[in-house]
Amino acid sequence: QVQLVESGGGLVQAGGSLRLSCAASGRTFTAYTMGWFRQAPGKEREFVAAITWRSGTTYYADSVKGRATISRDNAKNTVYLQMRSLKPEDTAIYYCAAGSDSIVAKTYPYWGQGTQVTVSS
């Protein structure tokens, strides 16, 4: 079992930056690929970024490529999502997830409670 707690969301103006954090506890954190997903009102949950546990290979959705950086600190059991040049369309609840090597949300068994990111124009 893995417990995930996100933090770092908030209200930011367009063009601004945020760093989201996801603190993990429970089973071996380093054994999991970690992903970030987001869900805007009335839309399906969508993949944002992921990082593998072994090699640290990263993957990004086209919508955030070049504006986002995912990283992990295994010593702190924490994964981060740095977002830059934020746009109003980035407004969503951002979720941290663990336990899958896929970018498909339903394949992840472990989820955090989410953190709200609101980007004003």
Side-chain angles (χ1 to χ4, degrees):
Q1 191 73 12
V2 176
Q3 293 78 43
L4 305 171
V5 179
E6 303 97 332
S7 61
L11 174 63
V12 63
Q13 288 188 334
S17 300
L18 277 178
R19 189 177 80 157
L20 307 181
S21 300
C22 173
S25 60
R27 293 184 65 183
T28 307
F29 169 73
T30 56
Y32 293 99
T33 291
M34 302 294 295
W36 283 97
F37 294 79
R38 66 187 183 186
Q39 188 166 18
K43 295 187 177 181
E44 292 187 356
R45 193 167 297 189
E46 64 174 2
F47 169 75
V48 177
I51 184 167
T52 64
W53 73 270
R54 188 185 298 273
S55 63
T57 302
T58 57
Y59 302 89
Y60 297 96
D62 288 343
S63 57
V64 302
K65 200 170 292 183
R67 302 189 297 118
T69 302
I70 187 172
S71 61
R72 65 190 297 163
D73 185 334
N74 288 344
K76 295 182 178 180
N77 288 353
T78 301
V79 63
Y80 304 97
L81 181 68
Q82 178 73 49
M83 296 282 293
R84 303 173 295 277
S85 301
L86 284 160
K87 305 174 182 180
E89 51 263 45
D90 293 318
T91 295
I93 299 175
Y94 283 70
Y95 297 91
C96 175
S100 171
D101 290 329
S102 169
I103 64 170
V104 178
K106 65 182 180 181
T107 65
Y108 281 77
Y110 305 113
W111 291 87
Q113 83 289 349
T115 186
Q116 176 72 47
V117 172
T118 302
V119 183
S120 63
S121 57

